[in-house]
C-alpha cells in the first residue's frame, strides 16, 4: 500500500520483533477517485489489518473480489488488485519472509503467490488483532496493540536454517545486487543446493528474490520523488532505462509512468514529496 506517510503513521516495532518486522505503516486515505490500487511485488510479505471496512482484493482473471479483515499474502512475482471506493484505512505490517516461522510456525513458502485471511492461519490471533486495532482511538494505541499481540506469539527458536537466513539477508542487504553464485560461496553451499533450500523456505528462488528486491527499490525511489528513470535504473542495477521498463511491465503489468498516472493511491506519495 503506497500513501503519504506522516511521522505519526509510521512506527518501528519493539526490539524483539525487529528481526522479523521492518515497521508499521498506517494509512487513512479519502477523497481520491474510486478505482484500483496495484499491490506490487516486494521483498516483504503483505500483512494488513483493515480499519472499519475490509480490504477488497480482486482476482484479475475472474473479476471476483474477496474481503479481508486481516490480510496475509506471501512473496509474489505479479501484481495484485485492490479495489476501493476512494476511502481506505488500515495498518500495513511490513513482514520479513523470516517472520512466518517465528510467529506462526509456518515457512514463508506456504504463502507464496497466495493471499489469506489470517483467520485461516489463526482465528484467535486474527480476531484479537482486528478487534484491538479497530477499538483503539489513536494510531499510537493501534500500534501498541500490534506490538503486544505479535510479541506474545513470537517464538524466536522457530527459525529457518542459519544458512538460509544468511542468504536472504545478503540478498536483501544488497537490494538484489549480489550474484547468486557469490551468496552460495559465502555460506558454503553449491548454487544448486542454495536454490533448493531457499525455494523450499521462501517459495521463490534466490534469483527471483534478487529480481523482486531490485524492482522494489526502484519502485520506492519513484514514489520518493526521484523521477529520472534512467538514474533509477543505474542505481538499482538495471542495464538501462529500457531494462527497467521491461521489468516493470513484467512484474507490475504496466509502465512506471502509467502506474503513477493511473493509480491515485500510489501517486499520493509522490505528491507529498520525499
Amino acid at each position: 500500500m503506497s500513501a503519504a506517510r506522516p511521522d505519526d503513521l509510521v512506527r518501528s516495532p519493539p526490539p524483539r520483533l525487529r528481526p522479523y518486522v521492518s515497521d508499521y505503516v498506517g494509512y487513512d486515505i479519502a477523497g481520491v477517485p474510486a478505482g484500483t490500487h496495484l499491490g506490487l511485488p516486494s521483498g516483504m510479505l503483505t500483512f494488513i489489518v483493515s480499519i472499519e471496512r475490509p480490504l477488497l482484493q480482486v482476482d484479475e482473471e475472474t473479476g471476483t473480489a474477496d474481503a479481508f479483515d486481516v490480510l496475509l499474502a506471501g512473496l509474489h512475482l505479479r501484481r495484485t488488485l485492490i479495489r476501493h471506493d476512494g476511502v481506505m484505512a488500515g495498518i500495513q505490517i511490513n513482514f520479513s519472509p523470516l517472520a512466518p516461522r517465528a510467529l506462526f510456525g509456518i515457512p514463508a513458502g506456504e504463502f507464496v503467490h497466495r493471499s489469506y485471511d489470517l483467520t485461516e492461519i489463526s482465528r484467535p490471533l486474527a480476531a484479537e488483532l482486528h478487534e484491538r486495532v479497530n477499538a483503539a482511538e489513536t494510531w499510537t494505541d493501534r500500534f501498541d496493540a500490534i506490538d503486544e499481540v505479535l510479541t506474545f506469539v513470537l517464538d524466536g527458536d522457530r527459525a529457518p536454517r542459519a544458512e538460509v537466513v544468511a542468504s536472504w539477508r545478503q540478498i536483501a542487504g544488497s537490494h538484489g545486487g549480489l550474484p547468486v553464485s557469490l551468496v552460495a560461496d559465502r555460506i558454503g553451499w553449491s548454487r544448486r543446493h542454495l536454490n533448493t533450500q531457499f525455494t523450499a523456505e521462501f517459495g521463490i528462488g534466490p534469483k527471483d528474490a534478487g529480481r523482486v528486491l531490485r524492482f522494489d527499490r526502484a519502485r520506492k525511489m519513484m514514489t520518493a520523488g526521484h523521477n529520472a528513470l534512467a538514474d533509477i535504473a543505474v542505481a538499482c542495477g538495471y542495464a538501462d532505462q529500457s531494462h527497467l521498463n521491461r521489468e516493470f511491465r513484467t512484474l507490475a503489468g504496466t509502465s512506471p509512468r502509467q502506474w503513477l498516472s493511473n493509480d491515485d493511491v500510489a501517486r499520493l506519495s509522490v505528491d507529498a514529496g520525499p
Side-chain angles (χ1 to χ4, degrees):
M1 189 73 62
S2 297
R5 298 183 177 183
D7 290 343
D8 62 345
L9 297 191
V10 182
R11 193 166 87 179
S12 295
R16 282 193 64 204
L17 289 172
R18 287 177 193 167
Y20 313 102
V21 182
S22 172
D23 55 12
Y24 311 142
V25 179
Y27 60 92
D28 190 357
I29 297 166
V32 299
T36 300
H37 170 62
L38 300 187
L40 300 183
S42 78
M44 295 286 177
L45 278 70
T46 302
F47 190 15
I48 294 176
V49 183
S50 64
I51 296 175
E52 293 187 359
R53 60 179 75 187
L55 189 75
L56 293 180
Q57 183 171 294
V58 179
D59 185 305
E60 195 159 4
E61 294 183 0
T62 66
T64 58
D66 292 317
F68 297 89
D69 286 330
V70 184
L71 170 71
L72 179 58
L75 297 172
H76 53 105
L77 300 175
R78 56 182 180 270
R79 68 186 186 179
T80 57
L81 307 183
I82 306 299
R83 182 183 296 161
H84 62 89
D85 61 1
V87 176
M88 286 192 295
I91 296 176
Q92 178 163 317
I93 304 166
N94 287 313
F95 231 37
S96 162
L98 305 175
R101 269 198 189 275
L103 293 168
F104 312 127
I106 302 171
E110 293 293 322
F111 302 93
V112 70
H113 302 312
R114 294 189 62 183
S115 297
Y116 293 86
D117 194 291
L118 190 61
T119 54
E120 299 179 61
I121 309 303
S122 173
R123 185 174 294 275
L125 176 61
E128 185 173 4
L129 272 173
H130 190 255
E131 289 171 7
R132 291 187 61 180
V133 166
N134 278 266
E137 296 184 356
T138 68
W139 289 106
T140 296
D141 289 342
R142 290 166 182 151
F143 294 145
D144 286 345
I146 294 172
D147 283 346
E148 292 172 13
V149 173
L150 295 187
T151 299
F152 180 77
V153 299
L154 176 66
D155 183 349
D157 291 334
R158 296 183 303 210
R161 291 183 62 174
E163 294 90 345
V164 175
V165 173
S167 62
W168 174 265
R169 287 178 173 164
Q170 288 184 44
I171 294 169
S174 70
H175 304 289
L178 286 180
V180 176
S181 57
L182 178 57
V183 175
D185 287 343
R186 286 181 174 181
I187 65 171
W189 282 355
S190 69
R191 180 170 177 171
R192 181 175 182 179
H193 188 60
L194 170 60
N195 186 71
T196 299
Q197 296 297 318
F198 193 100
T199 303
E201 182 64 34
F202 302 121
I204 63 175
K207 184 175 181 180
D208 277 333
R211 182 183 177 197
V212 165
L213 288 159
R214 283 192 299 274
F215 168 83
D216 192 34
R217 185 185 183 196
R219 176 191 63 80
K220 288 175 179 175
M221 290 180 71
M222 293 173 202
T223 55
H226 301 283
N227 294 319
L229 291 180
D231 293 340
I232 291 173
V234 171
C236 295
Y238 294 100
D240 51 30
Q241 183 177 335
S242 295
H243 184 196
L244 170 60
N245 286 337
R246 289 194 301 273
E247 275 291 88
F248 214 96
R249 286 190 176 278
T250 298
L251 295 173
T254 185
S255 73
R257 298 200 187 282
Q258 287 173 328
W259 167 57
L260 290 175
S261 174
N262 296 335
D263 191 334
D264 292 290
V265 174
R267 198 168 58 248
L268 287 175
S269 295
V270 179
D271 292 342

